């Protein structure tokens, strides 16, 4: 059994791993773990990853979670082109710096926008209080500004002239609100241009293939939602009150 | 000007960087940034780290934020012993996995537990609602269980048989709720034994030195009004 990647492309972290593997022609078996059906809580999947999160990698007996760790692992094992994770001390540090910062500054807030604007209202029938929504959007705007001013600046990509893991991870996360028709690139032409550059560097075909499930989320029939998942979501709504 | 590390040892990630640099004999100038005086919001510090957080590193013209990035930078630049960030593909992946996981889990619950249980009442003079604290401590407990079951398991250290940067990042986190009086090691002999091992590897003196500030935090005098106003916006999020 070769490399297996446990993924649901609804998740930004899964998209990063998927795009990276495909772009670098890394052969793998796509193991679909349906988040909307709660399959990440299944007994089978818990054996793969007791943290019940996606993505996971299985390479023979070696199992690895956390997309950042998986991306670094794939870079090293498959000796991908050096621009993805440049060997230069300072440049590599810039990638590490973004990869550390993004967990709380980008991934979490972007994911929350999708929950607040689309998933929670769709599933529970209730809107999240406007005050909380505003708070969330302000946080996102602040962090997008920091991203532009500190990480991107006037460069083509985060590390300079070439795409790296940092751009890939940044973009897939910033795409997450698109699932709820919320476009974070509207306010800045610099960011919109960067977004296009990253898409082209990946290849538009692969990029949109990876984002297909997310973009179709609006069409999803949530009556098929696993009751346990629905319960958790209703609990989540309580947190926003 | 050599390597400068901008630190406040009140902060967990600062302690991890401090311990790592000292333990590996990496020469640096300590640049104190007092969080409780809001110094991380100063214009001068923004030149070093526009993200306005500690730790931050300055090496000549090169500045760097994020403790994980700093630890890896120091590992590479100063060619520290391999076990800190092993070359072996799978061993390194285990360290990366922990370093990625902890941001939104253990880090978050340890910071909130310490602020809700101690800093907010003692320093800010504000009690946090009982149910908020209960919920935070329950989340901390869940994270500690995952730390034991998924990362430590039956190993001596988090990523395998040898201490790595993952252990430094984890132990400095756990000392945060400890400083607030949470007895997290009492009911968890496995974690207690791991803590002993980490302390022994780091060196007891260095470990104590790094934790002196946070362990005395409970004796801090209450903040004056101007400080409270300054800190409130950034602290609000920790009290939920």
């Amino acid at each position: 059994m070769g490399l297996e990647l446990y993924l649901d492309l609804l998740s930004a972290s899964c998209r990063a791993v998927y795009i990276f593997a495909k772009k670098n022609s890394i052969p793998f078996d796509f193991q679909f773990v349906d988040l909307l059906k709660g399959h990440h809580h299944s007994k089978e999947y818990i054996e793969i990853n007791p943290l019940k999160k996606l993505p996971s990698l299985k390479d023979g007996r070696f199992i690895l979670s956390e997309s950042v760790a998986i991306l670094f692992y794939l870079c090293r094992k498959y000796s991908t082109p050096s621009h993805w994770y440049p060997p230069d001390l300072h440049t590599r540090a810039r990638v590490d710096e973004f990869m550390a910062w993004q967990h709380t500054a980008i991934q979490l807030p972007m994911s929350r926008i999708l929950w607040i604007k689309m998933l929670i209202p769709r599933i529970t029938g209730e809107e999240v209080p406007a005050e909380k929504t505003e708070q969330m959007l302000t946080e996102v705007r602040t962090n997008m500004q920091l991203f532009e001013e500190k990480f991107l600046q006037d460069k083509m990509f985060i590390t300079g002239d070439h795409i790296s893991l940092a751009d890939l991870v940044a973009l897939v996360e910033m795409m997450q609100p698109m699932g709820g028709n919320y476009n974070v690139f509207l306010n800045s032409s610099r960011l919109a241009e960067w977004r296009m550059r990253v898409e082209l560097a990946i290849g538009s075909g692969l990029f949109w293939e990876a984002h297909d499930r997310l973009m179709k989320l609006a069409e999803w029939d949530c009556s098929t939602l696993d009751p346990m998942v629905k319960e958790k979501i209703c609990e989540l709504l309580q947190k926003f009150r | 000007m050599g390597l400068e590390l901008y630190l406040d040892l009140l902060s967990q990630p600062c302690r991890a960087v401090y311990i790592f640099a000292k333990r590996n004999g990496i020469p640096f100038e300590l640049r104190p940034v007092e969080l409780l005086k809001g110094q991380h919001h100063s214009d001068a510090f923004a030149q070093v780290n526009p993200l306005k957080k500690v730790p931050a590193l300055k090496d000549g013209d090169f500045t760097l934020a994020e403790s994980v990035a700093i630890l890896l930078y120091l590992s590479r630049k100063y060619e520290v012993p391999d076990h800190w960030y092993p070359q072996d593909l799978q061993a390194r992946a285990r360290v990366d996995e922990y370093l990625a996981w902890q941001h939104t889990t253990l880090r978050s619950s340890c910071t909130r537990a310490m602020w809700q249980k101690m800093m907010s009442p003692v320093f800010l003079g504000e009690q946090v609602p009982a149910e908020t604290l209960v919920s935070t401590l329950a989340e901390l407990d869940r994270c500690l269980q995952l730390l034991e079951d998924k990362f430590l398991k039956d190993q001596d250290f988090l990523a395998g048989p040898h201490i790595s940067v993952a252990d430094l990042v984890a132990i400095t986190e756990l000392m945060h709720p400890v400083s607030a009086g949470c007895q997290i090691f009492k009911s968890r002999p496995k974690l207690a034994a791991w803590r002993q091992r980490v302390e022994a590897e780091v060196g007891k003196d260095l470990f104590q030195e790094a934790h002196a500030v946070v362990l005395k935090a409970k004796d801090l005098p209450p903040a004056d009004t101007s400080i409270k106003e300054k800190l409130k916006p950034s602290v609000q999020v920790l009290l939920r």
Side-chain angles (χ1 to χ4, degrees), chain A residues 199-239:
Chain A
E199 179 191 319
L200 291 175
I202 288 167
S204 293
L206 173 57
F207 182 81
W208 290 108
E209 178 199 321
H211 285 85
D212 188 56
R213 190 160 146 79
L214 176 72
M215 299 312 283
K216 293 203 170 107
L217 189 58
E219 299 161 24
W220 167 58
D221 173 11
C222 65
S223 67
T224 64
L225 182 62
D226 179 275
M228 189 173 56
V229 177
K230 181 170 182 172
E231 205 186 293
K232 284 191 181 275
I233 291 165
C234 292
E235 279 171 32
L236 248 179
L237 180 59
Q238 293 314 311
K239 269 199 211 165

Side-chain angles (χ1 to χ4, degrees), chain A residues 185 194 214:
Chain A
F185 301 102
W194 165 81
L214 176 72

Side-chain angles (χ1 to χ4, degrees), chain A residues 5 15 63 88 109 136 176 196:
Chain A
L5 295 175
R15 292 195 295 273
I63 295 175
D88 169 71
M136 176 85 278
Q176 198 68 358
M196 197 63 211

Side-chain angles (χ1 to χ4, degrees), chain B residues 91 94-95 151-152 154-164 167:
Chain B
R94 284 276 160 259
V95 178
F151 291 98
L152 187 57
D154 289 313
Q155 302 171 135
D156 276 354
F157 296 97
L158 292 179
H162 305 289
I163 193 171
S164 72
D167 301 280

